[in-house]
Amino acid sequence: MENICINNGYFATKVKTANKEFIFESKVTKALDKYEANLILDGYKYKVGVGSNDLELDKTVSFTQKACISYAINKATRDNEVRVMSALPINSYSNVTAREQYKEWILSLNHVKECEVYPEGAAATLCDLSWYKNKLVCLMDVGGLTINCMIFDNGNLVPGTAFSCQLGAIMLENRFRMALQQSELVNVPDYQLKYLIDNPQCQN
């Protein structure tokens, strides 16, 4: 059974196994034909990594999240049985019922036999536990929708210090879009916005 770590964020899905790692945008749209499709789900063809962001807070009802996790598993391994480690924003993770529903939802996907869920951002402590010893560390994880914050004392999460707020990169992009719409009276589609942020001169 292969272990797969999947951080299916609102902006991008990050995947890591024992011998590979990759990332793709957390978007999905119906494929035009079989040549464009990279995922078949429930009998329909989809292209993962293209489309619009889905900001549904309950990830268990988000088709985009289901498609992204299914695609991640298919691309990561050929094993018939996998063990998945995933993550949730702090506010969702703190809701025990929502966390268990999310875990059961992942277990219902093809090939998934075991699943664990961890708070988003906290996994950074697992990379080098020794670095956190005898230190008081404020850990911040800036994602697509949320910013997760938590304090670790000697490598242990301080109870009551973890929280998340909806001020991630997608929210920032939306503020840029609204500012341009109001000041320049222009409509800015998703595919153009990233170029305007990189090079403001392109807006003309």
Side-chain angles (χ1 to χ4, degrees):
M1 184 183 302
E2 185 166 7
N3 296 318
I4 303 178
C5 298
I6 305 174
N7 183 348
N8 53 314
Y10 290 98
F11 177 75
T13 298
K14 288 75 68 179
V15 186
K16 183 173 178 59
T17 68
N19 53 24
K20 68 171 65 172
E21 57 183 89
F22 55 92
I23 184 173
F24 57 89
E25 290 191 64
S26 299
K27 299 178 179 180
V28 61
T29 187
K30 284 191 174 181
L32 294 177
D33 51 45
K34 64 180 181 180
Y35 304 104
E36 184 182 58
N38 55 20
L39 176 72
I40 297 178
L41 197 59
D42 301 329
Y44 294 94
K45 300 179 181 67
Y46 297 95
K47 186 171 184 179
V48 177
V50 177
S52 301
N53 294 109
D54 180 1
L55 302 184
E56 172 63 57
L57 292 180
D58 184 355
K59 291 189 176 185
T60 64
V61 299
S62 168
F63 179 80
T64 298
Q65 295 293 326
K66 180 179 180 180
C68 287
I69 292 181
S70 298
Y71 174 72
I73 293 172
N74 291 345
K75 185 176 179 180
T77 182
R78 297 297 181 192
D79 280 7
N80 290 325
E81 295 186 352
V82 297
R83 180 186 296 111
V84 173
M85 168 67 82
S86 190
L88 281 173
I90 292 295
N91 289 352
S92 299
Y93 181 85
S94 299
N95 184 322
V96 178
T97 300
R99 186 199 318 166
E100 289 303 314
Q101 288 176 343
Y102 181 69
K103 183 176 178 179
E104 291 300 319
W105 173 71
I106 293 179
L107 285 169
S108 71
L109 300 177
N110 289 337
H111 309 299
V112 180
K113 300 303 177 184
E114 295 182 25
C115 175
E116 292 296 334
V117 181
Y118 210 62
E120 283 184 357
T125 61
L126 303 178
C127 295
D128 186 2
L129 288 172
S130 63
W131 187 87
Y132 290 84
K133 287 186 177 180
N134 302 314
K135 292 179 182 177
L136 188 65
V137 179
C138 177
L139 181 61
M140 298 180 66
D141 168 44
V142 181
L145 176 63
T146 59
I147 297 178
N148 298 288
C149 304
M150 60 211 81
I151 295 177
F152 287 86
D153 182 8
N154 194 32
N156 298 309
L157 179 63
V158 178
T161 64
F163 69 94
S164 62
C165 52
Q166 294 184 27
L167 294 173
I170 295 173
M171 310 307 287
L172 182 60
E173 286 184 352
N174 286 336
R175 290 189 179 186
F176 284 141
R177 188 199 317 276
M178 290 180 61
L180 285 171
Q181 289 173 343
Q182 293 174 359
S183 64
E184 305 296 330
L185 299 179
V186 293
N187 185 32
V188 183
D190 289 342
Y191 58 81
Q192 184 183 22
L193 184 61
K194 59 184 177 182
Y195 295 104
L196 297 182
I197 294 174
D198 290 340
N199 183 9
Q201 298 302 319
C202 291
Q203 59 184 287
N204 296 324

mmCIF file of all heavy atoms in Angstrom, residues 1-6 15-20 76-77 79 81-85 114:
data_model
loop_
_atom_site.group_PDB
_atom_site.id
_atom_site.type_symbol
_atom_site.label_atom_id
_atom_site.label_comp_id
_atom_site.label_asym_id
_atom_site.label_seq_id
_atom_site.Cartn_x
_atom_site.Cartn_y
_atom_site.Cartn_z
ATOM 1 N N MET A 1 0.853 -1.194 0.000
ATOM 2 C CA MET A 1 0.000 0.000 0.000
ATOM 3 C C MET A 1 0.891 1.248 0.000
ATOM 4 O O MET A 1 1.783 1.373 0.830
ATOM 5 C CB MET A 1 -0.904 -0.009 1.234
ATOM 6 C CG MET A 1 -1.895 1.150 1.263
ATOM 7 S SD MET A 1 -2.908 1.200 2.764
ATOM 8 C CE MET A 1 -3.690 -0.400 2.699
ATOM 9 N N GLU A 2 0.634 2.157 -0.944
ATOM 10 C CA GLU A 2 1.473 3.346 -1.063
ATOM 11 C C GLU A 2 0.880 4.515 -0.282
ATOM 12 O O GLU A 2 -0.335 4.695 -0.225
ATOM 13 C CB GLU A 2 1.639 3.742 -2.526
ATOM 14 C CG GLU A 2 2.593 4.899 -2.718
ATOM 15 C CD GLU A 2 3.018 5.091 -4.157
ATOM 16 O OE1 GLU A 2 2.459 4.400 -5.032
ATOM 17 O OE2 GLU A 2 3.903 5.922 -4.414
ATOM 18 N N ASN A 3 1.758 5.320 0.336
ATOM 19 C CA ASN A 3 1.352 6.517 1.055
ATOM 20 C C ASN A 3 1.333 7.706 0.103
ATOM 21 O O ASN A 3 2.295 7.922 -0.646
ATOM 22 C CB ASN A 3 2.312 6.811 2.207
ATOM 23 C CG ASN A 3 2.289 5.732 3.260
ATOM 24 O OD1 ASN A 3 1.231 5.229 3.618
ATOM 25 N ND2 ASN A 3 3.456 5.359 3.764
ATOM 26 N N ILE A 4 0.245 8.481 0.138
ATOM 27 C CA ILE A 4 0.129 9.679 -0.691
ATOM 28 C C ILE A 4 -0.296 10.854 0.181
ATOM 29 O O ILE A 4 -1.317 10.791 0.865
ATOM 30 C CB ILE A 4 -0.902 9.494 -1.819
ATOM 31 C CG1 ILE A 4 -0.553 8.300 -2.703
ATOM 32 C CG2 ILE A 4 -0.988 10.757 -2.669
ATOM 33 C CD1 ILE A 4 -1.554 8.038 -3.811
ATOM 34 N N CYS A 5 0.507 11.910 0.177
ATOM 35 C CA CYS A 5 0.162 13.139 0.900
ATOM 36 C C CYS A 5 -0.458 14.114 -0.094
ATOM 37 O O CYS A 5 0.168 14.452 -1.104
ATOM 38 C CB CYS A 5 1.403 13.755 1.535
ATOM 39 S SG CYS A 5 2.191 12.697 2.767
ATOM 40 N N ILE A 6 -1.679 14.552 0.194
ATOM 41 C CA ILE A 6 -2.398 15.450 -0.714
ATOM 42 C C ILE A 6 -2.879 16.675 0.064
ATOM 43 O O ILE A 6 -3.716 16.558 0.959
ATOM 44 C CB ILE A 6 -3.612 14.758 -1.362
ATOM 45 C CG1 ILE A 6 -3.194 13.471 -2.079
ATOM 46 C CG2 ILE A 6 -4.306 15.710 -2.343
ATOM 47 C CD1 ILE A 6 -4.364 12.667 -2.609
ATOM 48 N N VAL A 15 0.919 17.356 -4.179
ATOM 49 C CA VAL A 15 0.923 15.905 -3.996
ATOM 50 C C VAL A 15 2.354 15.405 -3.820
ATOM 51 O O VAL A 15 3.262 15.833 -4.539
ATOM 52 C CB VAL A 15 0.290 15.191 -5.216
ATOM 53 C CG1 VAL A 15 0.164 13.699 -4.959
ATOM 54 C CG2 VAL A 15 -1.067 15.808 -5.548
ATOM 55 N N LYS A 16 2.536 14.502 -2.854
ATOM 56 C CA LYS A 16 3.864 13.933 -2.606
ATOM 57 C C LYS A 16 3.737 12.465 -2.236
ATOM 58 O O LYS A 16 2.896 12.097 -1.409
ATOM 59 C CB LYS A 16 4.588 14.691 -1.494
ATOM 60 C CG LYS A 16 6.011 14.198 -1.235
ATOM 61 C CD LYS A 16 6.720 15.082 -0.247
ATOM 62 C CE LYS A 16 8.124 14.576 0.056
ATOM 63 N NZ LYS A 16 8.976 14.500 -1.137
ATOM 64 N N THR A 17 4.557 11.632 -2.872
ATOM 65 C CA THR A 17 4.669 10.220 -2.522
ATOM 66 C C THR A 17 6.129 9.953 -2.171
ATOM 67 O O THR A 17 6.944 10.880 -2.097
ATOM 68 C CB THR A 17 4.235 9.314 -3.688
ATOM 69 O OG1 THR A 17 5.187 9.446 -4.757
ATOM 70 C CG2 THR A 17 2.855 9.691 -4.199
ATOM 71 N N ALA A 18 6.468 8.692 -1.982
ATOM 72 C CA ALA A 18 7.843 8.353 -1.622
ATOM 73 C C ALA A 18 8.827 8.693 -2.730
ATOM 74 O O ALA A 18 9.997 8.975 -2.463
ATOM 75 C CB ALA A 18 7.944 6.866 -1.276
ATOM 76 N N ASN A 19 8.368 8.702 -3.992
ATOM 77 C CA ASN A 19 9.309 8.921 -5.089
ATOM 78 C C ASN A 19 8.900 9.991 -6.098
ATOM 79 O O ASN A 19 9.545 10.134 -7.132
ATOM 80 C CB ASN A 19 9.564 7.602 -5.834
ATOM 81 C CG ASN A 19 8.273 6.930 -6.266
ATOM 82 O OD1 ASN A 19 7.240 7.585 -6.432
ATOM 83 N ND2 ASN A 19 8.316 5.620 -6.421
ATOM 84 N N LYS A 20 7.850 10.731 -5.840
ATOM 85 C CA LYS A 20 7.491 11.808 -6.760
ATOM 86 C C LYS A 20 6.691 12.879 -6.037
ATOM 87 O O LYS A 20 6.082 12.638 -4.992
ATOM 88 C CB LYS A 20 6.701 11.275 -7.955
ATOM 89 C CG LYS A 20 5.308 10.769 -7.616
ATOM 90 C CD LYS A 20 4.492 10.451 -8.861
ATOM 91 C CE LYS A 20 5.052 9.314 -9.656
ATOM 92 N NZ LYS A 20 4.137 8.908 -10.753
ATOM 93 N N ALA A 76 -0.486 9.844 -9.189
ATOM 94 C CA ALA A 76 0.597 9.544 -8.256
ATOM 95 C C ALA A 76 0.995 8.083 -8.236
ATOM 96 O O ALA A 76 2.158 7.753 -8.003
ATOM 97 C CB ALA A 76 0.205 9.989 -6.847
ATOM 98 N N THR A 77 0.040 7.182 -8.477
ATOM 99 C CA THR A 77 0.360 5.774 -8.287
ATOM 100 C C THR A 77 -0.506 4.869 -9.145
ATOM 101 O O THR A 77 -1.587 5.273 -9.584
ATOM 102 C CB THR A 77 0.179 5.377 -6.805
ATOM 103 O OG1 THR A 77 0.534 4.009 -6.632
ATOM 104 C CG2 THR A 77 -1.252 5.590 -6.355
ATOM 105 N N ASP A 79 -0.978 1.760 -7.762
ATOM 106 C CA ASP A 79 -1.410 0.805 -6.740
ATOM 107 C C ASP A 79 -2.930 0.775 -6.638
ATOM 108 O O ASP A 79 -3.602 1.799 -6.805
ATOM 109 C CB ASP A 79 -0.840 1.178 -5.363
ATOM 110 C CG ASP A 79 0.611 0.736 -5.207
ATOM 111 O OD1 ASP A 79 1.186 0.274 -6.212
ATOM 112 O OD2 ASP A 79 1.144 0.849 -4.096
ATOM 113 N N GLU A 81 -4.420 0.005 -3.863
ATOM 114 C CA GLU A 81 -4.753 0.440 -2.514
ATOM 115 C C GLU A 81 -3.777 1.527 -2.084
ATOM 116 O O GLU A 81 -2.564 1.372 -2.227
ATOM 117 C CB GLU A 81 -4.698 -0.736 -1.524
ATOM 118 C CG GLU A 81 -5.736 -1.807 -1.795
ATOM 119 C CD GLU A 81 -5.741 -2.883 -0.724
ATOM 120 O OE1 GLU A 81 -4.831 -2.865 0.143
ATOM 121 O OE2 GLU A 81 -6.639 -3.729 -0.743
ATOM 122 N N VAL A 82 -4.323 2.635 -1.565
ATOM 123 C CA VAL A 82 -3.463 3.735 -1.130
ATOM 124 C C VAL A 82 -3.890 4.224 0.249
ATOM 125 O O VAL A 82 -5.043 4.076 0.659
ATOM 126 C CB VAL A 82 -3.504 4.923 -2.124
ATOM 127 C CG1 VAL A 82 -2.962 4.506 -3.477
ATOM 128 C CG2 VAL A 82 -4.916 5.474 -2.255
ATOM 129 N N ARG A 83 -2.922 4.802 0.947
ATOM 130 C CA ARG A 83 -3.164 5.447 2.234
ATOM 131 C C ARG A 83 -2.977 6.945 2.024
ATOM 132 O O ARG A 83 -1.912 7.383 1.608
ATOM 133 C CB ARG A 83 -2.181 4.920 3.282
ATOM 134 C CG ARG A 83 -2.350 5.529 4.668
ATOM 135 C CD ARG A 83 -1.255 5.059 5.616
ATOM 136 N NE ARG A 83 -1.323 3.628 5.856
ATOM 137 C CZ ARG A 83 -0.431 2.760 5.414
ATOM 138 N NH1 ARG A 83 0.601 3.170 4.685
ATOM 139 N NH2 ARG A 83 -0.545 1.478 5.694
ATOM 140 N N VAL A 84 -4.010 7.742 2.297
ATOM 141 C CA VAL A 84 -3.984 9.174 2.009
ATOM 142 C C VAL A 84 -3.835 9.990 3.288
ATOM 143 O O VAL A 84 -4.525 9.747 4.279
ATOM 144 C CB VAL A 84 -5.272 9.610 1.264
ATOM 145 C CG1 VAL A 84 -5.328 11.129 1.126
ATOM 146 C CG2 VAL A 84 -5.338 8.954 -0.111
ATOM 147 N N MET A 85 -2.918 10.956 3.244
ATOM 148 C CA MET A 85 -2.816 11.971 4.279
ATOM 149 C C MET A 85 -3.247 13.284 3.644
ATOM 150 O O MET A 85 -2.681 13.706 2.631
ATOM 151 C CB MET A 85 -1.386 12.095 4.802
ATOM 152 C CG MET A 85 -1.147 13.328 5.665
ATOM 153 S SD MET A 85 -2.038 13.307 7.236
ATOM 154 C CE MET A 85 -0.940 12.296 8.218
ATOM 155 N N GLU A 114 -7.068 3.753 3.582
ATOM 156 C CA GLU A 114 -6.825 4.393 4.869
ATOM 157 C C GLU A 114 -6.667 5.893 4.646
ATOM 158 O O GLU A 114 -6.216 6.326 3.580
ATOM 159 C CB GLU A 114 -5.569 3.833 5.545
ATOM 160 C CG GLU A 114 -5.660 2.371 5.933
ATOM 161 C CD GLU A 114 -4.413 1.880 6.638
ATOM 162 O OE1 GLU A 114 -3.704 2.709 7.242
ATOM 163 O OE2 GLU A 114 -4.137 0.663 6.576
#
